[in-house]
Amino acid sequence: MPGSTGAVDASGTADVSAAAVEASESAASLEAAVVTHVPRPRRRDGDRFPAVDRAADRAPEFVGQGPPTYEAEPTAWPEADPGALDDLVPDTVLDGARYGAMTLRAVSLRGDSARYRGEPRRDALLTARFGAGDDAVVLVAVASGARAAEGAHRAARDICSWLGGAVGRSHARLGEDIRAGRRGELRTGLHRLTDRSYGRLRARAAELGLRPAEYTAALRCLLLPADARCRTRVFFGVGGGGLFRLREGAWQDLDPEPRADGAPGGLPAAGTAALCEDRITVDLGIPTPGTTPAIDPEEVPSEPFRFRASVARPGDALLLCSAGLAEPLRGEPALADALAERWGTRTQPPGLAEFLADGQLRVKGYADDRTACAIWES
């Protein structure tokens, strides 16, 4: 009957509403019992700390004539494959250590462009210690996959892993050569290990059905002895990137790209004379009897193997980086000045968070991945 049905519906609704109210009050009382209010901290004089002014939060930092085009923070992740989650690459990697007279800070950041487009970071970073005590050697490897190539991040990761494994298996002999100052043996041995690693990369490209140019990466490495009594720092690699030294407040480009005299670009000329202080063994493309390029298929332009061994001084800061940081460092004087001011006037190396902030100091027109390792000498 209509009247009876309406009475039942009204009664049921009332019962449900009452139950909902009772449940809500019960949940509120339970939350009040579980969640305690933490009093705001006070200074020793009894005054409370001022409230945080959100409007005064520090804006993302940049140098140059204007703010970069893209946002400062990540916006999109790459699409994930449920069956290959181990292939995912984090947006940022941060690492650090201290051995002997060296303090190391390393960071790898996805570029502004890749963050906006939801593309993976093409740069790879490997930091590893082989051996123990004074006989240990530290390896830092930085690799950048080919631009716009599918699987570029995998190629960068593979070359770091394979080269790192080769160096690790030979670390005892390499450490002896570093401590004894045998530069010729170091160059030959590291050239051979690098060439073999690139050979594996070419073989991997063939397995994937790709041309070698589609599955390759630039590689830059530092090999450092943990023994505080040895200040020899060994650099080697193939392809683009940078090696810089901050000495007495001025940047020195230790790995300049071949360019015509008087061509624009590069850091201040103060570094030019300083290059003569150490023996340079960087191959700038001049054929050397008995050696072969590290990359030698017809489809890939030949890249020279680069090597340099130098002696560090207390107060030096050595910077190894991918092209994503090397290019703005050479092309935007304001960035070089800012990092020189931050790193050259301090008595202690920056902490990890501070180094991360320094590494992502942005410049308009430069939106590639950035990977860098800095070594402060005490």
Side-chain angles (χ1 to χ4, degrees):
M1 293 179 293
S4 174
T5 302
V8 172
D9 288 345
S11 175
T13 302
D15 291 343
V16 171
S17 299
V21 171
E22 182 178 355
S24 177
E25 292 176 350
S26 176
S29 62
L30 178 61
E31 181 178 1
V34 173
V35 180
T36 59
H37 294 284
V38 179
R40 291 180 59 191
R42 296 176 179 270
R43 293 194 182 95
R44 291 182 179 180
D45 58 8
D47 294 337
R48 293 186 184 274
F49 285 97
V52 176
D53 183 5
R54 295 299 180 186
D57 287 351
R58 188 177 66 177
E61 293 184 286
F62 65 89
V63 295
Q65 298 180 353
T69 303
Y70 298 100
E71 296 183 34
E73 300 297 335
T75 56
W77 286 336
E79 182 179 359
D81 180 355
L85 294 181
D86 58 347
D87 191 46
L88 295 178
V89 182
D91 177 270
T92 303
V93 174
L94 188 63
D95 204 355
R98 184 173 67 235
Y99 291 101
M102 304 179 300
T103 299
L104 295 87
R105 297 287 183 260
V107 66
S108 186
L109 296 161
R110 192 161 53 132
D112 290 347
S113 176
R115 284 175 166 180
Y116 177 77
R117 292 179 170 84
E119 298 172 351
R121 175 167 48 89
R122 293 183 296 109
D123 279 7
L125 171 67
L126 173 68
T127 53
R129 171 179 62 87
F130 301 110
D134 289 343
D135 294 332
V137 293
V138 175
L139 172 69
V140 178
V142 171
S144 299
R147 187 190 301 273
E150 184 178 357
H153 62 291
R154 301 186 192 99
R157 183 178 56 194
D158 284 347
I159 194 65
C160 283
S161 177
W162 292 334
L163 189 281
V167 169
R169 289 186 290 272
S170 304
H171 78 273
R173 175 62 184 273
L174 291 170
E176 292 176 1
D177 288 342
I178 293 175
R179 290 187 292 272
R182 294 191 283 263
R183 301 190 184 204
E185 288 84 346
L186 279 170
R187 177 188 171 91
T188 302
L190 292 172
H191 192 168
R192 182 174 60 252
L193 296 180
T194 303
D195 189 54
R196 290 176 180 173
S197 298
Y198 273 99
R200 293 187 64 180
L201 202 63
R202 294 193 295 271
R204 179 59 176 157
E207 292 175 3
L208 297 173
L210 301 173
R211 295 184 298 108
E214 296 174 329
Y215 200 79
T216 189
L219 175 69
R220 302 237 150 183
C221 304
L222 283 174
L223 193 60
L224 312 164
D227 189 347
R229 296 167 297 181
C230 180
R231 288 189 176 269
T232 301
R233 309 295 180 244
V234 177
F235 158 78
F236 65 99
V238 171
L243 178 68
F244 305 93
R245 180 169 59 199
L246 184 59
R247 175 172 286 178
E248 298 178 353
W251 283 110
Q252 302 168 356
D253 193 338
L254 302 186
D255 183 34
E257 292 296 330
R259 59 170 63 92
D261 293 339
L267 293 176
T272 305
L275 294 177
C276 300
E277 298 176 4
D278 302 314
R279 292 173 55 192
I280 300 177
T281 52
V282 177
D283 184 355
L284 296 180
I286 302 174
T288 302
T291 64
T292 58
I295 306 177
D296 196 25
E298 293 182 358
E299 299 90 343
V300 182
S302 179
E303 290 278 0
F305 175 76
R306 300 176 183 273
F307 175 89
R308 180 186 179 95
S310 60
V311 178
R313 298 179 186 174
D316 283 354
L318 188 65
L319 176 65
L320 175 77
C321 56
S322 66
L325 181 58
E327 290 177 0
L329 196 59
R330 292 186 176 114
E332 177 52 69
L335 178 62
D337 292 343
L339 293 181
E341 182 178 356
R342 295 185 182 196
W343 294 350
T345 59
R346 56 186 311 130
T347 58
Q348 295 293 329
L352 289 179
E354 191 174 358
F355 184 71
L356 172 61
D358 295 341
Q360 59 187 1
L361 186 59
R362 306 164 73 230
V363 183
K364 186 177 180 64
Y366 298 94
D368 284 343
D369 297 346
R370 286 186 180 183
T371 303
C373 178
I375 296 96
W376 279 266
E377 305 284 350
S378 60

